[in-house]
């Protein structure tokens, strides 16, 4: 047996006990006659003391061979410390070492194993196994486990059944690219890895599984954007005989339960907003409502007054910045530079300060009367000392730009507190959106999402006007979950595929099994899927989903620790009936 | 809202209640003036009654349109049945229907949705979503969920952390073939799907995760044998600072807990047996010890007595068959045919009956005295009325053949009761086994398994004699779990790779990351992995792991429901920098 106790379980009440501990050398302080070593295991750190009164001389001598991250087994006696350290859990005691054994040696690690390390991103990724030794990283893995257990126990208690769906499935073209897997035994054919268990969970419902869930890996072969991973984890759920309200109710309750269980935060029912309202009020379908700064549309009050810049634009919209009247010219210029950067791409900002004396001061006061400017401020419910920031341009673009500016201002004003959680349901998404590049409609959600019954008659003439029975759960500006009521009628599903530009043949070869299943008594059903990595990241206050994934890949989809993907012998590929294509550049 | 109750939740105390139910038409009995419909949902079946006293005429009329598996929503009143059906939970009541709505229609399903269906294997696989509607199939999915929850809650309570390891990893050649995944963004390179999370769980332990587990998918591209699946689920576990005994203790307790929780069966500690003992006593390293029939070695008593068939063979061994003396010549001939079939491939059986009068009767009584035959029977502890079945030949082969015969006899004698569970630890496996085909050693367990310290000095001269710190958990003749203490020293790991025939270069390119990690203070560690599908199958008394997988593949690795794997456009393959190889037959 390697140990009688874990480091962090010992305390003042254990003084006098003989203990055996195992762990890593965290720190060594050698005063010659007196040596202290911090021994670390998964539970925490404890101070070992080697002194001539209690430790045999030869044992003290042996400590000369030790270095950071060596693995030790020690035997010793718990003693009370002379100078206590209130910063650590075991700070009242130390262990006087009688004997120790080196279980394994270690090279000096490439970065310090401390809460704040000196290792850069690349080194931390390459030596992820050492990064995980650091307390904040380890604690995020523990936190992830806790969230997963809470989800599973909650849903299981509510009668949901976790069912594993296959990972070697069939390639379908909708959405992102599939990862493909060549089959050796079925020559020339390929499996695909699932982008989600969507069709399988629907087939489970067809099969009479009333309430399904699964925490499962999904795969998307995307050109990686910041903070995306080619493999990610989803809480995937589906229910039979439900309407939108039923699904929203149960998963709102689950989210309330999670926040309570893993964060100790008590929330009641979540606000709701239609997609249209979200876009008009916040310029985005995933608004951060931890703070206000709602959009103020100014077309009526700002157009047709002779200011050409506004008169020539489609849309004029602003947000109120609390206390903004005190911004210096330099600070405002900084903001203007910020919105002009390519990622935001606005032309500039018109600002109006609400002076403490009740007057208005503005970058456009040459063009508008003080009265007009005060009308704007009033519409924005600005208070004296605030400032109104206004953008103008094409409606959709301008909303997106102002939404970015809103988030930036909130950041600067400290409104984005990671310990505050503001969930929000966004509903009534459009069913379809026109894709210029492909010259056809794409599904906003996915091809199985049901149109609102009252909009079905618009499908032929005005498909872009059709709203979906779809809903997103947004927390702090992040889409955490998205779901919908599904189509359960064969004809409607076929029409949907056709609207999305599938030929009859493509539908048959890719979704024939689903349409066949839809002939055998499909119940009304719907569901939701949560991005589990994102959910854990937000709940743990992490910046990136990488922080909450044990072995993440980098932005190029590489695992730099194991150096994967990698080259494969041509012979192995031949067994799979494939060969590499070498493209030459000449 | 689609329903106020689930079918099976209603009972005699609900009589008089107005209810709304949703489900499938399970059966229709139409007496003209009186119609009964069994309505089925996930919870069970309830009888609906349509009669002229209570049901509006038009509603009765509408039932003419209904067929099996139609999806209905009904409104009605719970009434007490006149003739009760004690066979079903809702047998005391029925629901008098006031109105109903067809939520969806159904074609007549290709097989009956009954506990005993008329559908053959192929149809059931193709229409798996209909198969799942059948109670026994649904109940196995529920049971699987229950086992998974019990495992997770047990391990989590014991301080194990579930950590998700990546599924897009690196190809390694040991063991079975990998499934490969071409990378689009890393041209010419491939990911592999994991055969197990082995290296990642070891790296987690290197990273200070003290007790890890994961219920996760694994992948093996094997030529499919009966009851194997290309993707399967594993309970994967690893612990730091443990010896073999620590690992065995905790997972024995977990198994005891499982048997208690999901089967209500109370077992105490499990027997243990070395590999050598298992092979000598049962001819297999996964003996079914629900019954005895131990091997009786007869070389000393049967060779050198002038019977050439025995004298020329290396090994003579038998088992005692209780009550076998009553077997007719025809029954014995059947057994002889059985062992001669190619799958067993024995030459024949020598039998000795222990007659009720105390004499011996045998197929070889020309060659042996009655006294000798009685000596054999005595050695086998046969009782009067028993029969000894004896095989002879090359030692290893003969043991395997007799092991097969032992299982067959146990089957015929009814000793293999699926409701009896007999777990057994098998320990002290050999580390390596010589593979004739490859002309090199293979790892019996895997390349990371530690030799027994006392055998390490044999590694150079007699590698085949080295025993491993490896252990299997066997239940009823099935290997349910297998694990080992791992190598945690760089040099020993390198030596192991070298014994397995890896070149230095192969080791570096495939396991370089692991050897690098092994330089940074690796704790002693070990673990175990359970075949989750097999575990669930055995606990649920299923014949095949397919029975406990929602969407299994067939023996050719095909999902016949979704028709996968499938062909892919050459253009898509080009994006992945691969092309198909077409081999012509001329």
């Amino acid at each position: 047996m390697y140990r009688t106790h874990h480091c962090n379980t010992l305390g003042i009440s254990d003084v006098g006990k003989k203990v055996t501990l195992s762990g890593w050398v965290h720190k060594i302080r050698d005063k010659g006659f007196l040596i202290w070593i911090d021994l670390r295991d998964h539970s925490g750190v404890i101070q070992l003391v080697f002194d001539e009164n209690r430790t045999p001389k030869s044992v003290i001598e042996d400590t000369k061979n030790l270095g950071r991250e060596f693995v030790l087994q020690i035997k010793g006696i718990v003693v009370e410390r002379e100078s206590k350290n209130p910063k650590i859990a075991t700070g009242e005691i130390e262990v006087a070492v009688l004997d120790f054994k080196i279980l394994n040696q270690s090279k000096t690690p490439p970065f310090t194993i401390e809460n704040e390390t000196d290792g850069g991103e690349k080194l931390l990724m390459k030596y992820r196994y050492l990064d995980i030794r650091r307390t904040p990283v380890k604690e995020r893995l523990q936190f992830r486990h806790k969230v997963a257990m809470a989800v599973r126990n909650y849903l299981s208690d509510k009668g949901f059944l976790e069912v594993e769906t296959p990972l070697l499935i069939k390639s379908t073209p909708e959405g992102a690219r599939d990862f493909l897997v060549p089959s050796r035994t079925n020559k020339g054919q390929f499996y695909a890895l699932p982008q989600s268990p969507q069709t399988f969970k629907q087939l489970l419902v067809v099969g009479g599984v009333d309430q399904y869930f699964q925490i499962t890996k999904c795969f998307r072969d995307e050109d990686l954007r910041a903070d995306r991973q080619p493999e990610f984890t989803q809480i995937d759920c589906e229910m039979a005989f439900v309407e939108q309200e039923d699904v929203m109710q149960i998963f709102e309750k689950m989210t309330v339960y999670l926040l309570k269980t893993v964060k100790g935060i008590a929330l009641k029912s979540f606000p709701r907003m239609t997609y249209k309202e979200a876009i008009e009020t916040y310029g985005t379908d995933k608004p951060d409502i931890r703070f206000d700064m709602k959009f103020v549309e100014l077309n009526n009050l700002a157009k047709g007054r002779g200011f050409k810049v506004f008169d020539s634009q489609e849309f004029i919209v602003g947000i109120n910045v609390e206390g903004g009247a005190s911004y210096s010219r330099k600070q405002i210029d900084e903001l203007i530079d910020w919105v002009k950067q390519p990622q935001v791409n606005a032309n500039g900002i018109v600002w109006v300060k609400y002076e403490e004396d009740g007057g208005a001061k503005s970058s456009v006061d040459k063009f508008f009367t003080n009265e007009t400017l005060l009308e704007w401020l009033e519409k924005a419910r600005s208070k004296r000392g605030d400032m109104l920031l206004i953008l103008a341009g094409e409606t959709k673009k301008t909303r997106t730009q102002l939404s970015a500016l809103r988030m930036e201002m909130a950041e600067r004003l400290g409104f984005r507190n990671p310990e505050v959680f503001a969930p929000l349901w966004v509903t009534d998404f459009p069913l379809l959106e026109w894709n210029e590049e492909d010259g056809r409609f794409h599904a906003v959600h996915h091809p199985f999402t049901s149109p609102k019954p009252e909009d079905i008659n618009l499908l032929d003439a005005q498909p872009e006007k059709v709203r979906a029975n779809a809903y997103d759960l947004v927390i702090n500006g992040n889409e955490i979950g998205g779901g919908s009521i599904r189509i359960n009628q064969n004809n409607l599903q076929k029409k949907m595929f056709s609207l999305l530009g599938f030929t009859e043949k493509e539908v048959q070869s890719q979704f024939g099994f689903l349409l066949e299943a839809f002939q055998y008594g499909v119940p009304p059903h719907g569901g939701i899927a949560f991005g589990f990595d994102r959910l854990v990241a937000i709940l743990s206050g992490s910046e990136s989903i990488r922080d909450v994934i044990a072995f993440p890949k980098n932005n190029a989809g590489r695992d730099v620790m194991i150096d994967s993907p990698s080259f494969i012998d041509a012979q192995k590929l031949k067994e799979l009936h494939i060969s590499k294509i070498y493209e030459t550049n000449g």
Side-chain angles (χ1 to χ4, degrees), chain A:
Chain A
M1 206 170 62
Y2 281 103
R3 55 196 176 188
T4 55
H5 295 79
H6 299 156
C7 296
N8 217 33
T9 59
L10 292 171
I12 194 78
S13 64
D14 296 301
V15 166
K17 268 190 196 157
K18 204 173 163 186
V19 297
T20 305
L21 300 174
S22 290
W24 287 265
V25 173
H26 190 63
K27 250 187 219 143
I28 304 177
R29 272 157 303 152
D30 187 343
K31 302 270 186 194
F33 56 98
L34 202 59
I35 294 153
W36 289 282
I37 290 181
D38 283 353
L39 186 76
R40 189 192 69 238
D41 70 7
H42 67 286
S43 68
V45 163
I46 198 164
Q47 182 165 289
L48 310 178
V49 59
F50 301 70
D51 68 32
E52 289 172 340
N53 297 331
R54 292 170 290 201
T55 315
K57 212 161 188 171
S58 66
V59 172
I60 293 183
E61 199 54 40
D62 287 343
T63 63
K64 308 300 177 204
N65 302 320
L66 295 178
R68 280 202 288 136
E69 302 305 314
F70 272 49
V71 186
L72 299 189
Q73 182 186 43
I74 70 104
K75 288 179 200 302
I77 291 178
V78 180
V79 295
E80 189 169 357
R81 279 205 210 183
E82 280 182 24
S83 65
K84 301 197 162 84
N85 177 358
K87 284 185 201 159
I88 64 168
T90 57
E92 293 186 281
I93 52 162
E94 56 192 358
V95 176
V97 176
L98 304 174
D99 198 6
F100 76 88
K101 198 171 143 187
I102 297 178
L103 297 176
N104 222 334
Q105 301 187 320
S106 176
K107 276 175 45 174
T108 304
F111 47 79
T112 55
I113 311 293
E114 300 286 351
N115 292 3
E116 298 294 329
T117 179
D118 57 356
E121 181 72 10
K122 273 194 181 171
L123 268 184
L124 296 177
M125 292 274 286
K126 179 163 164 57
Y127 297 94
R128 180 66 170 173
Y129 44 86
L130 297 179
D131 193 21
I132 293 174
R133 288 189 191 165
R134 301 192 305 115
T135 303
V137 182
K138 185 183 66 188
E139 283 178 350
R140 283 195 292 263
L141 294 185
Q142 288 166 341
F143 182 76
R144 184 180 175 112
H145 168 72
K146 195 174 163 188
V147 177
M149 287 302 293
V151 168
R152 283 199 163 94
N153 283 317
Y154 183 85
L155 290 176
S156 188
D157 285 351
K158 296 290 171 200
F160 281 75
L161 212 60
E162 185 162 27
V163 181
E164 292 175 61
T165 54
L167 293 186
L168 293 172
I169 66 162
K170 185 172 181 158
S171 185
T172 58
E174 186 60 22
R177 284 190 189 84
D178 287 324
F179 282 103
L180 297 182
V181 183
S183 166
R184 186 176 52 85
T185 49
N186 297 271
K187 195 171 156 181
Q189 299 186 42
F190 294 78
Y191 301 101
L193 301 178
Q195 295 183 31
S196 90
Q198 184 63 34
T199 48
F200 286 98
K201 70 175 169 175
Q202 292 191 247
L203 291 177
L204 283 171
V205 166
V206 174
V209 174
D210 205 59
Q211 299 188 117
Y212 146 94
F213 84 103
Q214 188 183 190
I215 302 185
T216 188
K217 279 280 174 74
C218 302
F219 303 84
R220 280 181 203 168
D221 184 11
E222 295 177 303
D223 295 313
L224 292 168
R225 284 177 281 167
D227 215 23
R228 293 282 182 113
Q229 291 278 318
E231 56 178 300
F232 56 96
T233 304
Q234 194 162 294
I235 310 171
D236 193 56
C237 310
E238 197 76 8
M239 303 167 77
F241 299 111
V242 286
E243 291 162 339
Q244 177 164 319
E245 188 60 29
D246 301 313
V247 182
M248 289 170 74
Q249 284 292 345
I250 191 135
F251 290 99
E252 180 166 316
K253 280 181 195 141
M254 183 187 88
T255 310
V256 166
Y257 171 84
L258 270 187
L259 282 164
K260 182 76 195 152
T261 307
V262 304
K263 298 296 294 182
I265 289 172
L267 287 184
K268 292 201 173 146
S269 70
F270 301 168
R272 298 181 183 193
M273 192 178 291
T274 64
Y275 172 84
K276 185 163 176 287
E277 198 182 341
I279 295 291
E280 286 173 359
T281 315
Y282 300 103
T284 173
D285 60 1
K286 36 180 189 278
D288 188 340
I289 60 164
R290 277 175 295 183
F291 49 93
D292 217 354
M293 287 211 268
K294 288 178 181 163
F295 283 15
V296 186
E297 297 188 4
L298 295 170
N299 278 23
N300 290 341
L301 301 177
K303 282 181 82 162
R305 313 271 173 124
F307 179 48
K308 282 190 185 162
V309 174
F310 278 0
D311 289 350
S312 65
Q313 297 298 345
E314 184 184 14
F315 191 59
I316 303 159
V317 62
I319 50 172
N320 180 62
V321 177
E322 273 178 44
S326 64
Y327 270 49
S328 66
R329 182 69 225 179
K330 196 176 153 227
Q331 283 177 299
I332 292 177
D333 283 347
E334 252 179 48
L335 288 181
I336 292 172
D337 286 345
W338 191 90
V339 301
K340 282 182 169 175
Q341 63 176 324
Q343 295 93 312
V344 183
N345 203 25
N347 293 321
I349 298 176
V350 166
W351 53 266
V352 185
K353 289 181 178 174
Y354 200 167
E355 304 279 75
E356 293 294 352
D357 66 6
K361 201 180 154 199
S362 169
S363 56
V364 292
D365 41 21
K366 272 183 233 160
F367 304 98
F368 296 94
T369 63
N370 203 51
E371 202 179 14
T372 301
L373 297 175
L374 286 171
E375 274 176 25
W376 298 0
L377 291 167
E378 194 189 354
K379 180 148 193 213
R381 296 188 188 179
S382 306
K383 291 186 297 293
R384 294 183 186 195
D386 289 356
M387 174 171 61
L388 193 58
L389 298 179
I390 301 167
L391 301 183
E394 187 270 317
T395 306
K396 198 175 163 192
K397 244 184 229 169
T398 307
R399 279 180 173 148
T400 304
Q401 291 161 352
L402 190 62
S403 173
L405 180 60
R406 176 176 177 270
M407 293 302 272
E408 176 64 20
M409 294 312 301
E411 188 67 45
R412 292 181 186 215
L413 293 165
F415 292 165
R416 294 170 70 180
N417 179 351
E419 288 307 313
V420 172
F421 295 90
L424 165 75
W425 286 108
V426 179
T427 63
D428 294 14
F429 280 80
L431 184 70
L432 301 160
E433 67 188 342
W434 183 257
N435 184 286
E436 281 299 336
E437 207 176 317
D438 295 358
R440 65 169 181 89
F441 282 107
H442 280 196
V444 170
H445 208 77
H446 55 50
F448 315 106
T449 295
S450 169
K452 284 202 176 288
E454 60 268 34
D455 289 0
I456 286 182
N457 60 343
L458 298 171
L459 267 177
D460 288 311
Q462 298 179 287
E464 71 284 356
K465 291 248 166 106
V466 176
R467 290 166 307 159
N469 265 330
Y471 33 84
D472 276 2
L473 181 60
V474 174
I475 299 183
N476 298 358
N478 296 279
E479 184 202 325
I480 288 300
S484 66
I485 298 300
R486 324 302 184 184
I487 295 168
N488 78 332
Q489 298 291 342
N490 232 330
N491 288 342
L492 188 55
Q493 187 64 65
K494 281 183 187 165
K495 188 181 197 80
M496 187 69 182
F497 284 134
S498 146
L499 276 168
L500 295 171
F502 286 82
T503 66
E504 190 93 0
K505 204 182 145 197
E506 285 167 343
V507 169
Q508 267 316 311
S509 82
Q510 286 153 18
F511 298 108
F513 65 96
L514 193 75
L515 293 175
E516 180 152 26
F518 272 27
Q519 298 180 318
Y520 292 102
V522 179
H525 62 292
I528 195 166
F530 290 82
F532 186 62
D533 307 299
R534 179 74 53 204
L535 176 66
V536 175
I538 286 175
L539 292 179
S540 70
S542 300
E543 298 273 305
S544 157
I545 62 170
R546 266 193 225 163
D547 294 341
V548 297
I549 294 174
F551 299 105
K553 295 184 175 56
N554 73 9
N555 273 346
R558 287 200 76 77
D559 183 328
V560 297
M561 180 185 74
I562 63 170
D563 193 24
S564 165
S566 61
F567 292 101
I568 299 285
D569 284 350
Q571 180 53 38
K572 280 253 164 71
L573 298 183
K574 201 175 163 190
E575 287 175 14
L576 301 173
H577 319 293
I578 58 169
S579 67
K580 279 192 279 187
I581 301 174
Y582 292 94
E583 282 170 358
T584 55
N585 290 320

